[in-house]
Amino acid sequence: MNFELIAASAAGVGSGTGGNGDTVGVDTLIVPVFAESLQRMPEGLASSKLLPRMADRHATTWLYGAEGRPDVLLVGLGEAVKYGLHVLRDAAGEAGRALVRENRLTAVLTFAGLTAGRPSCDGGTDEVEAWVEGTLLGVYSFDKYKKDAKARAAATIRLAVGDDAALREAIRIGSIRAESTIWARDLINEPPNRLRPLDLAARVKERFTDTEAQVTLYEGEQLEQMGFAGVTAVGKGSEHPPVFIEVRYCSDSSKPLVALVGKGITFDTGGISLKRDHDISDMRMDMAGAGATLAALDILVRSGASVNAAVLVPAAENSPSGRALLPGEIITYANGLSVQVGNTDSEGRLVLADALIYAHRIGAEQAIDVATLTYSVVGALGSKVAGILGDDELARDVRAAGEPFGERVWQLPLIDEYEAYLASDYADTSNISRVGEAGAITAALFLRKFVHPSLRWAHIDMSGTKEASSAKGQHAVGATGFGARMLAEYVSRMK
């Protein structure tokens, strides 16, 4: 998709002229509408054909024009009182897919239907960013391995909002956010035979080549030398060796260093504690946390944000073999804490522990880890909301950063009494709970043992939000890239 800026009057809405030169040759006029807008549409859009359901969220309706006039694509936003920029992003995704389905190549977007229902929505930079971003994310598809996949002709959308430097910058930022999130989706969707741990590291290095970000890879003997006991133990069962990825980007050293920690299990069989599900192919997405953190940094780097950030990704493949980690083994970490492995399918917390310890070693003042860690969080919050645990203020700020993008988190409590569930007779702690309850909380309590007291920390369990089963709003089938924009926004707001 390509985006251009034109005068608001060029859409031919509300002027009584029926259009002008900017709509000549344009096949579609896109009109996002609130339920309240339908009865107050500007001149040129009012029609007896407009029905209430056409303004429902996620609804798209074609109104075919007379010869020589563009067809109108109405895109529903629902009720104005429930509006947020995430609603507009979803609407843009729906509109983008509608254009692709109908093979439309030229369109004009007018926000006249927004201002009719909510005057404060004036088609400014926030709306332009949201529309560009939502469109690009909505038309995404992962079809590179399909024989009959066809390259689509690039459509051009002209945004009838005026033209100035701020609006052009909005297009740039919206495009960057979408492209980085798409990079995360591509990584997460990749089949496991195409994305081993060292493949992930190579892609990261390639992505940040010729940027101000610095990539450091620890592998082989370096892992033991650095004290990365967890990733070494988890990865030893696979013939594809583990790697610890560190990406640093400091464009403002006066700001506190924040570490974004992403779980990078490129495929999780469960190890010796083998998974029993019928279809575990989506375990290729067990590195969705890594995808989110890497894409967040990509947004910050490419947008030129003023930040001080590090992304830490312990990457491994959890596979059974004669060399694999065994239930009952004891691992001693760099902070001196020993862990008895009760179940090798709770491997994510073992590798995250390395990164949390390392975050303090590099001087981070804050750390946010992101992981597909438990199914318990899905039972609690479903597939649309991730759980966040840890520092209350940090959790609140991260939640606020994600709202405009529809990346929602909900804080769960850290119940100190549950920490006893992790007791081990042979080590300082076990990696699993002895009690079959509060799985998301006990997993976070385990991670907290590796967080230095001086470090402000939050843990995001995104097991439910990592993928979408159908194309809706900003999401395509498959990986969502959840967390990338939320984390980038949070870091960019830091002072």
Side-chain angles (χ1 to χ4, degrees), residues 136-148:
L136 294 173
L137 292 175
V139 300
Y140 169 84
S141 63
F142 188 78
D143 56 8
K144 63 188 285 187
Y145 296 110
K146 290 188 175 183
K147 182 180 70 172
D148 297 327

Side-chain angles (χ1 to χ4, degrees), residues 19-41:
N20 60 25
D22 284 301
T23 58
V24 173
V26 171
D27 51 38
T28 305
L29 178 63
I30 306 171
V31 186
V33 292
F34 293 115
E36 296 87 341
S37 305
L38 289 179
Q39 305 309 316
R40 301 197 299 274
M41 295 294 280

Side-chain angles (χ1 to χ4, degrees), residues 87-121:
V87 173
L88 192 61
R89 285 178 164 89
D90 281 340
E94 299 289 356
R97 281 192 296 275
L99 294 178
V100 169
R101 285 194 298 269
E102 296 287 326
N103 296 313
R104 302 300 177 102
L105 295 179
T106 55
V108 168
L109 168 70
T110 174
F111 286 130
L114 265 71
T115 53
R118 191 170 173 135
S120 60
C121 299

